[in-house]
Amino acid sequence: MQSVHTGDYEAVIGLEVHAQLLTATKAFCRCSTQYGAAPNTNVCPVCLGHPGALPVLNRQVVEFTLRMGLATGCTIRPRSRFARKNYFYPDLPKGYQISQYEDPICYGGSVEIELEDGTTKRIGITRIHMEEDAGKSIHDLDVDTLIDLNRCGVPLIEIVSEPDIRSPAEAVLYLQAIRQLLMYLGICDGNMEEGSLRCDANVSVRRRGSDRFGTKTEVKNLNSFRNVERALAYEIERQIAVLAQGGTIEQETRMWDASSGSTRPMRSKEFAHDYRYFPEPDLVPVEVSAEWIERVRAELPELPLARKRRLQEQYGIPAYDAGILIAERSLADYFERACGALREPSPERYKLISNWIMTEVLRILGERKIDIGSFPIEPERLAELVELQAQRTISSRIAKELFAELLSSPARPSELVAERGMVQVSDAGYLEQLVERALSENPDTIEKYRAGKVAVLGFLVGQVMKYSQGKANPELVRTLLLERLGHSDALAR
Ligand code: ADP
Ligand code: ZN
Ligand code: MG
């Protein structure tokens, strides 16, 4: 048999992403969409599918779908229809889901992703359509299966990509880009654990250089970025191994099992491919006027990648910083508010603000599990802290102490500095005394320094900082020490 290397093959991937829309009420009735309500309380005859109950479309669902469609450059169909997708499952009391089949409301768009090497790539969006969610079956209990119908009728959009993705890593980048867009648009909370964002992955492999696609499998149950990556990597290897042994891939739906790290075929009862789609007779076609489309387009916020590029340009911060700051719209807003509050704005100060956010601010948000909206230091106070630091009024060590104090105090940074005597000491006469003390307490350091052990300089600066309770201006201390140690001598050696 011919030997086969993984490198002889290329993966082809297309994702189907379901996003739960952040409407207050369901897609076709007035029931609340609140997550975590007592089971089977957010229900009514419409979402339970009682005979004779008629659905009425929630306009907000269309509005939100238009946002995503326009943000991904899709064409909007002025008139689209709903369809019934029929199947039996205990958590689907109606026996069908209202969805869109032919002629979805949005089609033909794309999403730009940034690859590891900094280049960008466009992933095509085949279509975005509206549908309703089914209920939830709870199997993992020590009792019979329980069913919660609160989720029946909660609005979703399904975003179907073209098979443009070529690796598990690209699939994750694409999914992250979709999630970020949905969150920027304020139409989905992006919570994969709670199921507000779900992803099915279609994957096939083919000989490198071939222009035909291989047979695909569809992998379900991917509830985190990590699982998307692991499941795809597993499935690609599995398919290559089958082909390498002369076998063929069966078109099937497979279930990802995170605990065993593998995929297995789903029992045929778990899915039915004949959904007998037909037009939904209880709903009129969805008509979207040109004015509606233009209004939504005009109201779109600045999108993540555009904002990233603008932050780099406008504030002169590195791409890495900008990427972190735009991860959430509110974080980038915080950064820009702080920059805007600077009395003497400068690229150095913008970078200091970015540094604070990327390290201390994000650390506190993570520790306290809060978002930037509840962060106790307002952007104006962070800006003031940065100005004190940039003017060398306070040392960076004092700045850290001050930051910690500001977390629990509503005071302004300048007030605290004055109150606590935190002002950085740049009085050369006083600092010279501390330098002398450091040298007399460590008599061997002069010899060591002159013998070429330049590292003792850092140690001596540290000693002076300690004597001054962190208030000494470290740059000045360094200069004074260099003078005292006979810097020019040391250099001459
Ligand atoms: P199905 O009829 O099985 O639903 P579709 O053509 O509607 O298949 O495509 C569903 C998803 O599968 C899309 O995201 C698409 O990009 C992807 N896809 C289609 N063909 C392939 C293939 N050969 N390999 C990988 N992904 C594919
Ligand atoms: Zn209802
Ligand atoms: Mg399909």
Side-chain angles (χ1 to χ4, degrees):
M1 196 174 63
Q2 209 184 339
S3 83
V4 182
H5 300 284
T6 304
D8 295 341
Y9 287 89
E10 157 180 84
V12 172
I13 299 165
L15 298 188
E16 293 167 284
V17 177
H18 286 91
Q20 222 174 63
L21 298 179
L22 279 173
T23 56
T25 57
K26 294 186 180 181
F28 304 108
C29 63
R30 309 283 298 266
C31 291
S32 164
T33 55
Q34 187 208 347
Y35 181 84
N40 301 307
T41 53
N42 291 340
V43 290
C44 75
V46 174
C47 52
L48 293 176
H50 288 181
L54 287 175
V56 177
L57 176 60
N58 179 346
R59 262 182 85 84
Q60 195 71 30
V61 172
V62 182
E63 172 91 14
F64 282 1
T65 310
L66 289 178
R67 280 193 206 165
M68 190 61 176
L70 292 171
T72 52
C74 283
T75 304
I76 308 298
R77 207 171 246 113
R79 190 183 162 95
S80 68
R81 285 206 67 100
F82 282 103
R84 286 189 183 179
K85 178 179 180 178
N86 300 278
Y87 63 96
F88 170 78
Y89 204 77
D91 62 20
L92 187 74
K94 288 210 298 261
Y96 61 86
Q97 255 175 306
I98 302 179
S99 180
Q100 294 195 295
Y101 187 52
E102 289 162 336
D103 305 336
I105 183 163
C106 312
Y107 62 96
S110 70
V111 165
E112 196 176 7
I113 59 171
E114 275 196 326
L115 304 179
E116 299 273 294
D117 63 4
T119 59
T120 59
K121 172 171 177 176
R122 284 203 167 273
I123 307 295
I125 302 283
T126 316
R127 58 186 280 159
I128 301 177
H129 68 250
M130 304 176 279
E131 59 183 33
E132 62 176 340
D133 213 339
K136 216 185 276 180
S137 301
I138 301 146
H139 302 291
D140 51 352
L141 293 173
D142 229 9
V143 292
D144 299 329
T145 292
L146 298 176
I147 290 179
D148 178 5
L149 298 175
N150 283 349
R151 208 174 63 182
C152 286
V154 166
L156 303 174
I157 51 176
E158 178 172 338
I159 306 154
V160 181
S161 88
E162 290 288 306
D164 289 344
I165 300 165
R166 291 290 174 272
S167 70
E170 265 182 42
V172 169
L173 289 172
Y174 167 78
L175 189 57
Q176 282 169 340
I178 291 282
R179 176 170 181 270
Q180 199 172 43
L181 259 182
L182 291 164
M183 292 172 69
Y184 260 66
L185 297 170
I187 63 174
C188 175
D189 67 22
N191 191 330
M192 292 185 81
E193 258 165 57
E194 288 178 3
S196 323
L197 190 69
R198 310 197 278 271
C199 169
D200 300 332
N202 298 270
V203 54
S204 62
V205 298
R206 63 176 172 187
R207 283 269 184 186
R208 218 167 264 286
S210 161
D211 56 4
R212 296 217 328 259
F213 289 151
T215 304
K216 71 177 168 75
T217 60
E218 181 174 352
V219 185
K220 290 191 177 286
N221 197 31
L222 306 174
N223 58 3
S224 69
F225 293 120
R226 191 170 144 64
N227 279 327
V228 168
E229 186 151 21
R230 287 173 69 204
L232 282 170
Y234 173 88
E235 185 59 16
I236 290 165
E237 279 214 13
R238 186 191 70 82
Q239 291 188 12
I240 292 174
V242 169
L243 295 179
Q245 285 160 22
T248 51
I249 302 300
E250 270 198 56
Q251 174 145 2
E252 62 185 355
T253 304
R254 299 178 68 91
M255 190 81 164
W256 166 246
D257 177 10
S259 56
S260 69
S262 62
T263 64
R264 60 167 174 80
M266 276 170 97
R267 281 170 288 126
S268 59
K269 261 192 286 183
E270 288 176 306
F271 66 98
H273 264 305
D274 183 9
Y275 292 124
R276 296 185 297 116
Y277 279 101
F278 62 83
E280 166 60 62
D282 290 343
L283 285 162
V284 294
V286 184
E287 308 231 2
V288 183
S289 67
E291 292 74 42
W292 192 357
I293 295 173
E294 285 323 307
R295 197 219 352 109
V296 174
R297 196 196 305 277
E299 286 173 9
L300 285 183
E302 185 180 24
L303 300 178
L305 265 188
R307 189 165 197 184
K308 180 176 176 196
R309 287 170 190 148
R310 183 176 60 76
L311 292 189
Q312 282 176 250
E313 285 256 313
Q314 187 173 336
Y315 301 98
I317 54 172
Y320 175 81
D321 293 40
I324 290 179
L325 294 174
I326 58 118
E328 272 178 48
R329 199 171 150 186
S330 52
L331 197 67
D333 289 345
Y334 182 94
F335 169 74
E336 293 206 80
R337 287 236 304 278
C339 291
L342 288 169
R343 268 173 299 166
E344 290 176 43
S346 73
E348 184 206 354
R349 293 172 194 205
Y350 298 148
K351 177 61 178 141
L352 281 172
I353 291 177
S354 165
N355 289 349
W356 278 108
I357 296 176
M358 291 193 304
T359 55
E360 299 302 298
V361 176
L362 284 179
R363 183 177 60 79
I364 300 287
L365 297 187
E367 277 173 18
R368 302 191 178 178
K369 295 189 172 41
I370 53 172
D371 55 35
I372 191 76
S374 345
F375 184 63
I377 307 178
E378 300 79 5
E380 295 72 22
R381 293 201 299 151
L382 185 73
E384 197 181 315
L385 170 70
V386 160
E387 303 221 89
L388 292 168
Q389 201 183 346
Q391 291 155 359
R392 314 282 188 271
T393 306
I394 56 172
S395 65
S396 54
R397 211 181 95 190
I398 292 292
K400 273 209 169 156
E401 276 175 33
L402 192 54
F403 180 88
E405 294 237 6
L406 292 170
L407 286 172
S408 52
S409 155
R412 293 183 42 181
S414 53
E415 284 167 11
L416 279 181
V417 166
E419 207 173 282
R420 313 267 158 105
M422 287 169 155
V423 176
Q424 174 162 274
V425 177
S426 300
D427 174 345
Y430 171 65
L431 293 181
E432 269 165 13
Q433 288 172 24
L434 300 186
V435 164
E436 285 314 318
R437 180 174 158 202
L439 291 173
S440 64
E441 284 182 10
N442 304 281
D444 54 334
T445 48
I446 300 184
E447 271 313 300
K448 283 190 184 159
Y449 185 79
R450 294 199 171 147
K453 282 210 167 178
V454 191
V456 298
L457 181 63
F459 167 75
L460 290 170
V461 172
Q463 289 302 107
V464 173
M465 294 309 289
K466 216 162 83 186
Y467 303 149
S468 70
Q469 272 112 36
K471 287 183 216 154
N473 175 341
E475 278 160 38
L476 185 52
V477 172
R478 223 180 118 79
T479 312
L480 292 173
L481 270 166
L482 282 173
E483 280 171 12
R484 183 64 178 70
L485 289 168
H487 183 49
S488 45
D489 284 0
L491 279 185
R493 273 164 198 261

